[in-house]
Amino acid sequence: MAKEKGTRLIANNKKAYHDFFIDDTFEAGIELAGTEVKSLRQGNCSIKESYVTIDNGQVYINKMHINPYEKGNIFNKDPLRKRKLLLHKFEINKLIGRTKDKGVTIVPLKVYFSGSLVKVEIGLARGKKLYDKRHDLAKKDQEREARRDFKVNLRD
């Protein structure tokens, strides 16, 4: 089977952009079992409540839900198990150094296929306050109104 070209989105974490300021992003591979990859090809994945931790110099994603593959029977793994992320050592050291700052955490942003490989985009994030969220919503509404007005003016 030939390798596919391009990327195909599997899961996106829109809530992360609403709740956090994303400072920096990293692309990581993920260690999966065969039936998990088959389930991801069907689009059965959720990262809404997942988070990233660092233990003993290794990066793990927790609570990433991958539905069990229907035809996998005994080969299926626990849907919420801890999965290892594959990063270079200097990237892991950078993540460790940045997460020691107060209020900085690592959140998964999206899961996608890059060719035939499953990749996870993770981001260094700082939490937003309530007034920051309100400001972003107001800004988004203003942009939507401006686009709508511009669209109406083009028709006239």
Side-chain angles (χ1 to χ4, degrees):
M1 179 179 195
K3 286 195 175 187
E4 300 172 17
K5 303 262 188 216
T7 62
R8 187 178 70 134
L9 187 66
I10 301 167
N12 195 3
N13 192 357
K14 293 179 184 177
K15 189 108 172 115
Y17 290 101
H18 183 261
D19 291 340
F20 300 102
F21 292 112
I22 307 299
D23 294 335
D24 200 4
T25 60
F26 296 90
E27 181 183 66
I30 185 168
E31 195 175 274
L32 296 170
T35 56
E36 290 175 326
V37 177
K38 290 178 181 184
S39 183
L40 286 175
R41 288 199 187 282
Q42 295 176 346
N44 297 329
C45 179
S46 175
I47 57 171
K48 286 185 176 150
E49 296 179 7
S50 62
Y51 58 96
V52 177
T53 58
I54 301 174
D55 296 330
N56 298 327
Q58 300 292 325
V59 182
Y60 295 97
I61 187 166
N62 300 302
K63 293 192 177 181
M64 176 180 164
H65 189 273
I66 298 177
N67 287 349
Y69 184 57
E70 299 159 358
K71 300 171 186 164
N73 59 33
I74 62 168
F75 299 108
N76 283 331
K77 304 282 186 188
D78 179 28
L80 293 173
R81 74 182 179 93
K82 190 186 223 185
R83 295 173 178 90
K84 185 177 176 183
L85 295 180
L86 307 172
L87 289 162
H88 290 285
K89 193 67 175 174
F90 69 90
E91 291 176 324
I92 295 171
N93 290 337
K94 187 174 182 181
L95 288 173
I96 290 170
R98 293 285 301 276
T99 54
K100 289 187 182 198
D101 298 340
K102 186 174 182 188
V104 177
T105 188
I106 309 168
V107 293
L109 302 174
K110 61 183 172 180
V111 179
Y112 56 94
F113 279 106
S114 178
S116 63
L117 303 174
V118 179
K119 300 287 185 176
V120 178
E121 184 175 290
I122 58 175
L124 281 167
R126 289 178 292 115
K128 283 186 183 178
K129 302 285 187 203
L130 184 60
Y131 56 83
D132 291 327
K133 293 178 189 177
R134 286 187 195 134
H135 177 72
D136 285 349
L137 286 174
K139 187 175 167 185
K140 202 180 287 185
D141 287 342
Q142 287 175 348
E143 289 174 2
R144 191 178 308 121
E145 287 290 328
R147 272 190 264 119
R148 186 178 300 140
D149 291 342
F150 183 70
K151 192 174 185 181
V152 168
N153 289 340
L154 286 178
R155 291 182 184 169
D156 292 340

